[in-house]
Amino acid sequence: MSDDDTITGATDLDELRRYAIAPVTGVSDWGAATSSGRIRPENEDAFGHLDQHLFVIADGMGGHAGGRMAATTAVQGVLSTSGTAGISSLPDLVRSVSAQVRMQTCARGFENAGTTLVITRVLQGVVTIAGVGDSRVYRLRDGELTQLTTDHTVAGTHALTRYVGAADGNDVPHVTSLAPQAGDRLLMLTDGVFKQLTDAQIVDALDGRSAGQGASELVTQADRAGGRDNATALIIDFAAQPAEVSHV
């Protein structure tokens, strides 16, 4: 994540725009798919989008009902809270959503519920990613898969060290910003996908497929590989955007 078009921890768009390449790239296609898997009785994953500028996935924890509520509340909170007064950055947005999740789940008696959360924002040629927990975002460029997020887990275990809805403030996101290139593909995945498939299998599953087809194929292959967890894939494709034409 240290290449010259990726900045870890950066949130200032004015600073980031100087890293964007010309012509500016934007979202050309996207698609998503989800499955409860072959073992779990309920799907505690959730995803959503706002136009082609904001994408979000969440993987709930804390029991079937509590996890599902936490993930759904987080996704709805991101989409409804983004752009409101007082929310000036993705960390601000995550903090607000985490409080919403905590309030809603505790009100229903799910005090141990929480969720992973990954937000991808596309704005004026810059992509900013905020992640809490162990759901991931990868970049696929020229056949090479690169993880852009950081897992918040105890080494050697699946235990989360940060999650949305945490009572102790352990909900601070890892933020990464980058200037995408035409042809780049971002993969937002819950662990039910990337723990079932190797990087090579993920790349192969996407070859020759559109964003929607690729997302469906990843989820299908995760189920075929065991389907031990809920699986969600959201794929975003980027292409060069036409320059604005001035009419006199």
Side-chain angles (χ1 to χ4, degrees):
M1 297 195 312
S2 59
D3 53 22
D4 59 7
D5 63 352
T6 303
I7 309 172
T8 300
T11 57
D12 187 335
L13 285 179
D14 289 334
E15 174 189 352
L16 291 169
R17 287 189 190 108
R18 67 189 178 92
Y19 287 84
I21 60 174
V24 170
T25 56
V27 175
S28 59
D29 188 22
W30 76 276
T34 189
S35 170
S36 60
R38 301 176 63 181
I39 297 176
R40 300 290 180 89
E42 301 283 349
N43 193 343
E44 298 175 59
D45 287 359
F47 70 88
H49 74 103
L50 186 60
D51 298 323
Q52 291 188 333
H53 304 292
L54 195 68
F55 303 87
V56 56
I57 63 170
D59 180 359
M61 50 176 277
H64 302 314
R68 185 170 63 253
M69 173 179 281
T72 301
T73 301
V75 169
Q76 292 175 344
V78 168
L79 301 181
S80 63
T81 306
S82 175
T84 59
I87 304 298
S88 60
S89 68
L90 289 187
D92 286 344
L93 179 58
V94 170
R95 189 179 305 112
S96 174
V97 168
S98 185
Q100 295 174 40
V101 170
R102 179 71 181 165
M103 180 178 65
Q104 293 291 332
T105 55
C106 286
R108 292 288 299 275
F110 304 124
E111 294 187 1
N112 295 320
T115 183
T116 70
L117 182 67
V118 179
I119 304 168
T120 297
R121 181 182 65 189
V122 184
L123 184 62
Q124 298 182 11
V126 172
V127 172
T128 305
I129 300 165
V132 184
D134 64 351
S135 294
R136 294 178 179 176
V137 178
Y138 294 87
R139 180 184 63 199
L140 180 60
R141 175 182 290 174
D142 297 329
E144 181 178 351
L145 202 62
T146 303
Q147 183 178 340
L148 300 178
T149 49
T150 295
D151 294 343
H152 297 135
T153 55
V154 178
T157 77
H158 301 308
L160 297 179
T161 57
R162 301 186 197 177
Y163 62 92
V164 166
D168 53 8
N170 285 333
D171 55 8
V172 179
H174 174 268
V175 178
T176 298
S177 295
L178 63 145
Q181 295 180 10
D184 280 356
R185 173 169 273 187
L186 293 187
L187 286 59
M188 303 176 68
L189 308 176
T190 61
D191 62 355
V193 177
F194 62 77
K195 287 181 180 177
Q196 292 283 182
L197 304 175
T198 65
D199 285 3
Q201 288 173 324
I202 290 173
V203 173
D204 287 345
L206 300 178
D207 187 36
R209 292 185 169 91
S210 67
Q213 293 169 342
S216 295
E217 183 66 17
L218 286 176
V219 169
T220 297
Q221 289 200 18
D223 284 350
R224 288 174 179 167
R228 289 184 288 272
D229 200 352
N230 307 148
T232 298
L234 194 158
I235 298 177
I236 310 167
D237 288 342
F238 290 85
Q241 302 295 292
E244 293 185 4
V245 178
S246 176
H247 297 281
V248 178

